[in-house]
Amino acid sequence: MVSAAQGRCWTCKDRKVSCDRTVPACLKCSTTGRQCGGYGLRLTWPRRGDQKRALKSISCTLSWSKSTPYQTFHLINASSWDLALHYVSLDNVSHFRQPPESHQPILIACPLKSLIAPNVAANDQNLLEYFQRDGIHAVPMFDLDRDRFCQTLMRIAFSNDSLASKAVLQSILALSSLYRDGLQPLAVQLKDAALQALMVSVNAGVHGVDAIGHVVAGILSCCFEMQLKSNGEIWNSQWVGHIVGVKELIRDIKKPCHHPPGSDNSIILNWVYYFDVATRFSLRHWRTVLGCQSFPELVFDPAANTSCRLQTALVRASFSTPVPQLSEHAPPVLALLGEICGTILYPWDSQYHSIEYQDYLGKLETRLETLELSDSRVGNESEDDIKITDLFRLAGLIYLERTSKSFSGQSPKVEGWVNKAFAIIASIERCRQPLPIFIIGCEARSDERRQEVLRLVSKTQTDPRVRNMHELGDLLQSFWVQDDLDVESEVEYVRKVSLVVSTCAAVPIFV
């Protein structure tokens, strides 16, 4: 007796004809000389717009900005690019080639020629009022009172008639114009005037109180470039160059740590350290040797990108060496996260298995575990601000465990931290800081948790003053696809994060 299958074979289904359902191969295919496709499960990747065959979870709609249409993300589908990246992570595909994006110089461009007079005209006054009311809320920072921070910036801008103070004022006006009106000639003109003032001041020598003005103007210029990159108006890493310049200046200042806690200078150095830590995380994973060994296309072409290769080397050298005692001005949780980003070794390092290093890792974890959040408080936080500080702590613990032990599977210790982190994510309305959301979001294994992360990003984006977080959403989704493809957890955590982050054509922003 010939057994029969429950439905048509795949060949007959594709031909849209009847099937006699004979097992193991139908007679219709055999008699017509066709290869029977059988009756088992057949997996195919859905085509774009193919709603009938698309496998997808409940979607989460995100509005990235007022100028960007709503987008719907499906958490299961993967593209051929995702598959290729997964095979690269396993070192199974050496022939895959993806044309590299063009690379822009990473250091600060030469400032332009004209210098705008610093007199506060009516239009400038309007921009200053806008900055104090709305613009300050778009400036990236962590664990700082925004009102007090704004007052600090204003005091530095109007402290004297020096070129450094003028540069701070022009930088504030440029950033305010960009936030309020978008990329218009006025914003570019003001930014160029700030850079010109800094250049003239440097040529004359930076002394005393002028130094902090240079630091502030440099970070505000960095914010300007980050805003352009987030809006998709530029696609380069020029924002990193401003941070490099600021750090080198601070290194040249004698005894930068001897500023009383809570003073204007201490507040500014705290702000700089946040930028430093978040950028160190980016550079730890973006187009490093670890990623480039498996993906040669991520390496700069020695002939075509000589200046980019040199500037990238200078940037990496700058961020590989911390600014002495700068972390003393930062909240303890950020100082510990910076210590993790700056000292974690890879498993193949000769010191990795030493008793001293393993003992250091244990003490570092204990310091994070036992950290009192009250130590990081500035006295004027909302309940959400306190919870976000705890998110940084939990993200630090997760990242420390993953990177120090180089695994991407599950463990009770990590799962405990992840559960606490997602309880916080479910309870807060917004989180402007991308770094902890990325680290914790990479731990989202279920559709429900992934949707929770995307909802938090979406809620954060409802505030028009928040910088566009489209890049964060793209990176998270790319990581989730790689995580789903890595069923056996064969790919080390650091390699997986590095390959995903390295797909960005420019250094990604986690500030």
Side-chain angles (χ1 to χ4, degrees):
M1 179 178 178
V2 180
S3 60
Q6 294 294 320
R8 292 179 295 171
C9 72
W10 286 109
T11 303
C12 291
K13 279 186 178 181
D14 291 342
R15 295 176 60 210
K16 298 181 181 179
V17 299
S18 61
C19 177
D20 56 60
R21 297 180 294 169
T22 303
V23 177
C26 78
L27 294 176
K28 180 165 288 189
C29 289
S30 300
T31 55
T32 57
R34 292 181 172 84
Q35 182 177 357
C36 181
Y39 307 94
L41 180 65
R42 182 173 71 173
L43 298 179
T44 60
W45 296 109
R47 295 184 296 272
R48 182 181 295 276
D50 189 347
Q51 296 299 320
K52 183 178 180 181
R53 298 193 310 118
L55 295 175
K56 56 189 180 184
S57 69
I58 300 172
S59 62
C60 179
T61 301
L62 298 182
S63 173
W64 297 112
S65 69
K66 292 185 290 187
S67 60
T68 304
Y70 282 85
Q71 301 184 19
T72 301
F73 296 96
H74 307 303
L75 306 182
I76 295 178
N77 295 344
S79 66
S80 57
W81 166 263
D82 296 314
L83 285 174
L85 192 63
H86 174 63
Y87 288 133
V88 165
S89 70
L90 294 171
D91 288 330
N92 288 333
V93 173
S94 59
H95 62 274
F96 177 75
R97 294 291 180 265
Q98 174 71 17
E101 298 282 348
S102 60
H103 299 286
Q104 297 291 334
I106 203 167
L107 296 184
I108 302 175
C110 295
L112 299 185
K113 304 170 183 176
S114 61
L115 178 64
I116 298 175
N119 298 328
V120 182
N123 186 50
D124 292 347
Q125 185 65 40
N126 291 335
L127 288 174
L128 287 173
E129 291 174 356
Y130 176 83
F131 185 82
Q132 292 174 296
R133 185 182 66 252
D134 294 315
I136 189 63
H137 295 279
V139 176
M141 63 183 70
F142 169 66
D143 206 41
L144 288 172
D145 184 321
R146 288 184 181 271
D147 290 336
R148 182 179 178 187
F149 183 75
C150 185
Q151 294 170 8
T152 298
L153 295 185
M154 293 299 173
R155 276 196 297 272
I156 295 172
F158 292 101
S159 59
N160 54 48
D161 292 329
S162 68
L163 287 170
S165 292
K166 293 176 183 179
V168 173
L169 177 59
Q170 297 296 335
S171 298
I172 292 173
L173 293 173
L175 200 55
S176 184
S177 176
L178 181 64
Y179 287 154
R180 189 186 69 179
D181 304 319
L183 185 58
Q184 301 293 329
L186 177 61
V188 177
Q189 187 180 21
L190 290 166
K191 182 203 74 169
D192 291 339
L195 293 178
Q196 180 68 26
L198 289 177
M199 183 64 72
V200 175
S201 178
V202 166
N203 291 337
V206 180
H207 305 288
V209 294
D210 286 352
I212 202 67
H214 278 258
V215 169
V216 172
I219 297 297
L220 288 174
S221 297
C222 172
C223 294
F224 190 100
E225 298 295 336
M226 288 196 302
Q227 183 72 14
L228 291 181
K229 182 176 182 292
S230 298
N231 290 345
E233 288 159 315
I234 62 171
W235 194 250
N236 60 35
S237 304
Q238 196 158 306
W239 63 276
V240 182
H242 291 286
I243 303 177
V244 171
V246 165
K247 289 180 63 179
E248 295 308 311
L249 177 63
I250 295 174
R251 283 193 177 97
D252 292 338
I253 300 173
K254 293 182 179 179
K255 299 180 180 180
C257 63
H258 292 175
H259 300 295
S263 66
D264 286 353
N265 288 357
S266 181
I267 289 172
I268 296 302
L269 293 175
N270 177 359
W271 185 43
V272 172
Y273 191 70
Y274 171 57
F275 279 71
D276 177 43
V277 170
T279 309
R280 263 191 282 162
F281 177 87
S282 298
L283 293 173
R284 181 177 173 82
H285 294 287
W286 186 76
R287 306 204 174 185
T288 60
V289 173
L290 181 64
C292 294
Q293 284 177 339
S294 298
F295 210 165
E297 288 72 16
L298 300 180
V299 182
F300 291 115
D301 181 347
N305 296 287
T306 303
S307 62
C308 286
R309 293 178 70 250
L310 174 61
Q311 293 180 21
T312 301
L314 292 173
V315 167
R316 292 197 186 280
S318 175
F319 278 93
S320 66
T321 307
V323 177
Q325 300 173 317
L326 182 61
S327 61
E328 292 186 6
H329 300 278
V333 66
L334 188 60
L336 286 171
L337 191 55
E339 190 173 340
I340 292 170
C341 290
T343 59
I344 292 298
L345 301 176
Y346 292 115
W348 52 84
D349 191 284
S350 60
Q351 299 297 315
Y352 179 81
H353 295 288
S354 68
I355 296 175
E356 294 81 3
Y357 179 68
Q358 294 301 318
D359 183 56
Y360 163 74
L361 292 179
K363 291 179 179 178
L364 189 55
E365 180 182 316
T366 300
R367 288 160 63 195
L368 266 173
E369 277 271 38
T370 59
L371 180 66
E372 293 289 339
L373 296 184
S374 58
D375 295 340
S376 296
R377 299 185 64 176
V378 295
N380 194 31
E381 303 101 327
S382 66
E383 190 65 30
D384 276 8
D385 291 332
I386 297 171
K387 291 179 179 179
I388 289 170
T389 300
D390 202 20
L391 273 186
F392 269 91
R393 184 183 71 86
L394 292 167
L397 286 166
I398 293 167
Y399 186 72
L400 173 62
E401 181 75 3
R402 291 288 191 198
T403 54
S404 64
K405 297 184 178 177
S406 191
F407 79 105
S408 56
Q410 297 297 302
S411 78
K413 182 188 290 186
V414 171
E415 191 61 27
W417 294 327
V418 171
N419 289 339
K420 291 178 182 178
F422 274 93
I424 293 175
I425 286 176
S427 68
I428 60 178
E429 290 297 316
R430 293 180 180 85
C431 181
R432 294 180 173 131
Q433 293 81 11
L435 182 55
I437 297 303
F438 178 75
I439 294 174
I440 294 167
C442 288
E443 301 296 324
R445 310 284 177 176
S446 66
D447 285 354
E448 291 75 15
R449 282 189 165 176
R450 292 173 182 180
Q451 290 168 37
E452 198 64 53
V453 173
L454 295 180
R455 287 192 189 101
L456 177 60
V457 176
S458 180
K459 288 178 183 177
T460 304
Q461 288 286 169
T462 59
D463 187 341
R465 301 171 298 187
V466 175
R467 192 180 69 239
N468 192 304
M469 301 176 80
H470 186 98
E471 184 175 62
L472 173 63
D474 287 346
L475 287 171
L476 282 171
Q477 289 183 95
S478 180
F479 185 91
W480 292 337
V481 171
Q482 295 305 311
D483 213 40
D484 290 343
L485 292 171
D486 185 27
V487 178
E488 303 296 330
S489 298
E490 299 175 86
V491 184
E492 300 93 337
Y493 175 83
V494 174
R495 180 182 293 274
K496 195 181 298 182
V497 171
S498 296
L499 282 171
V500 168
V501 169
S502 295
T503 58
C504 295
V507 180
I509 301 172
F510 291 105
V511 180

